[in-house]
């Protein structure tokens, strides 16, 4: 059974309509309509199967859900070097925010030293979703114990007018305001971010349960 056939068994027509509205930049006919938990189940099955390597080599995929399953499969690879090779092969084919946002390779957590140069390269990419993925990995992996203030500048200096790119910058800084407030608030106080990103970062931080009420009130003064 092919991955497409496995996905087709889980098709939900109403969910397809919902997804088509959620991801307006891809053709509706490329959406099957499969919920994320089902796709993760398919990915686990593919990962253990003898069709895994063939599926990962079949790029580009035709369907939105095939791309999601692809990234979910890659995220299960335990060997860092093998995983990063597959990530790099796939990133140029990522064409929407859900595919960029939903997969997080488990092996990244224990390989920060090896991962950081790749993150810097991805953020510098002109491909919107490669850059978005790079910023999300920096947000996920380097806002806790391994945080350095210089990482804020990597994201703040990313230029581009694409909505999904700017939204990722805002998301990163809203998260940084929750986890590394003293360092990141300087970017709000000094208005170092694009005006739209500045306002969106404040909005998302104010909406976050992880930002203290005191910090929220202060941030509101910079709207």
């Amino acid at each position: 059974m092919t991955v497409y056939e496995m996905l087709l068994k889980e098709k939900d027509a109403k969910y397809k309509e919902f997804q088509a509205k959620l991801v307006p930049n891809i053709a509706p006919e490329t959406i099957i309509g499969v919920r994320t938990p089902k796709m993760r189940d398919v990915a686990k099955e593919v990962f253990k199967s003898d069709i895994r390597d063939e599926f990962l080599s079949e790029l580009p995929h035709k369907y939105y859900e095939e791309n999601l399953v692809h990234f979910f499969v890659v995220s299960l690879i335990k060997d860092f070097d093998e995983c990063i090779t597959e990530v790099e092969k796939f990133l140029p084919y990522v064409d929407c925010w859900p595919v960029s946002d939903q997969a997080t390779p488990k092996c990244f957590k224990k390989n920060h030293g090896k991962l950081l140069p790749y993150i810097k390269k991805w953020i510098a990419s002109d491909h919107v979703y490669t850059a978005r993925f790079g910023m999300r990995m920096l947000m996920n992996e380097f806002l806790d114990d391994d945080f350095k203030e210089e990482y804020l500048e990597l994201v703040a200096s990313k230029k581009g007018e694409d909505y999904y790119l700017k939204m990722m910058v805002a998301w990163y800084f809203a998260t940084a305001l929750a986890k590394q407030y003293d360092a990141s608030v300087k970017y709000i106080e000094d208005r170092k971010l694009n005006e739209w990103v500045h306002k969106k970062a404040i909005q998302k931080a104010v909406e976050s349960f992880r930002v203290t009420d005191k910090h929220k009130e202060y941030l509101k003064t910079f709207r």
Side-chain angles (χ1 to χ4, degrees), residues 13 23 36 100 119 127:
V23 196
T36 300
S100 174
I119 285 178
H127 180 235

Side-chain angles (χ1 to χ4, degrees), residues 39-156:
M39 285 190 281
R40 290 190 184 276
D41 288 342
V42 170
K44 289 175 184 176
E45 190 173 338
V46 172
F47 182 75
K48 297 174 183 177
S49 75
D50 57 6
I51 68 168
R52 183 183 80 174
D53 292 345
E54 181 182 357
F55 173 65
L56 292 182
S57 68
E58 292 173 348
L59 290 169
H61 297 301
K62 182 177 179 180
Y63 293 98
Y64 162 73
E65 286 88 352
E66 288 179 313
N67 280 329
L68 276 161
V69 168
H70 187 119
F71 224 168
F72 289 153
V73 170
V74 169
S75 72
L76 293 171
I77 298 173
K78 294 181 180 179
D79 179 79
F80 178 83
D81 293 328
E82 180 186 353
C83 182
I84 209 78
T85 296
E86 293 298 334
V87 169
E88 295 244 279
K89 283 181 186 175
F90 183 61
L91 282 175
Y93 298 96
V94 177
D95 59 358
C96 60
W97 68 265
V99 178
S100 174
D101 288 6
Q102 293 191 64
T104 301
K106 295 179 180 180
C107 66
F108 283 7
K109 189 69 66 180
K110 295 181 179 180
N111 290 279
H112 281 184
K114 295 166 74 173
L115 176 63
L116 189 59
Y118 289 99
I119 285 178
K120 290 179 177 179
K121 181 175 72 169
W122 296 333
I123 293 175
S125 173
D126 291 331
H127 180 235
V128 166
Y129 297 105
T130 296
R132 184 177 169 107
F133 179 73
M135 287 187 276
R136 187 171 71 84
M137 290 302 98
L138 191 68
M139 180 179 74
N140 285 4
E141 304 291 340
F142 291 89
L143 275 179
D144 294 305
D145 295 341
D146 288 348
F147 172 75
K148 292 182 180 179
E149 286 194 30
E150 64 197 61
Y151 299 155
L152 296 168
E153 188 60 31
L154 281 176
V155 178

Side-chain angles (χ1 to χ4, degrees), residues 181-210:
Y181 179 82
D182 290 342
S184 55
V185 74
K186 298 172 188 175
Y187 284 78
I188 301 299
E189 292 171 334
D190 297 340
R191 296 186 178 272
K192 292 183 178 181
L193 304 173
N194 164 287
E195 185 64 18
W196 186 94
V197 173
H198 172 92
K199 290 180 179 178
K200 187 62 69 172
I202 292 173
Q203 177 192 327
K204 291 177 78 67
V206 168
E207 292 171 354
S208 173
F209 68 89
R210 295 184 295 181

